[in-house]
Amino acid sequence: MAESSIEWTEATWNPTTGCTKISQGCKFCYAEVMTKRLQAMGLEKYSSGFKKVVVHPEVLDQPRKWKPSVIFVNSMSDLFHEDVPLSFVQQVFKVMNECPQHTFQILTKRAERLEELSPFLNWTPNIWMGVSVEDDAVTFRIEHLMRTNAVVKFLSLEPLIGPLPNLNLNNIDWVIVGGESGRNPRPMRAEWVVDIQTQCESARVAFFFKQWGGRNKKAAGRELNGKTYDAMPDKAIIT
């Protein structure tokens, strides 16, 4: 099993690799950096580089062999990228449908295609669907998510690079907030995070504060006002 250091999941599963940048949140893409490293190490799966989307049917059955886990799907890609055929997305969903012992977390920036394909997918309760919203310019993604048939819906506000004072949290189960990390991270203001936490509390939405980020994210930690926020949706299947 590919164990993960991401605070809100336990493992990663990458049936596709590669992506293309579409918004400001993509500027310092973690997956792009990791792809370059893995390619340099000679891993065949990443030999095509980051900018080419490749499907990997050979790894589809991996979750069937794993112990019950919370699994982040496609940490190195975007399942709803336009270069991933619907037929392959359906194959990924079939595995998730047939592995109810796991909780699968999917995250996309391509919310329009998510909504377009939603009617053709089997949304079992163990599939959590999220969209990334890094600033006010892309809050439209939330509306597309709301129009899907996903049972559990969540928002990843990471890297948070601007305030989000009027989030639409109707039928949203979970919100993750995190600052950007790396060599030249864009700053995240504390008042933005506090405001989002307050909105979640008012709407009774589970709130998870992942990190402050910065050049040394470990030193910055993940406490907000002296408290760690690590709530998960009530519908969670936690092992």
Side-chain angles (χ1 to χ4, degrees), residues 47-73:
S47 60
S48 297
F50 180 72
K51 294 183 179 179
K52 182 177 180 181
V53 176
V54 181
V55 300
H56 298 277
E58 71 278 5
V59 305
L60 281 174
D61 284 336
Q62 284 181 341
R64 301 184 191 277
K65 306 169 187 176
W66 295 347
K67 66 180 182 180
S69 303
V70 181
I71 302 170
F72 180 22
V73 182

Side-chain angles (χ1 to χ4, degrees), residues 142-156:
I142 301 172
E143 307 301 323
H144 291 290
L145 172 64
M146 288 178 174
R147 291 193 287 267
T148 71
N149 297 321
V151 177
V152 177
K153 301 178 177 70
F154 71 97
L155 308 180
S156 175

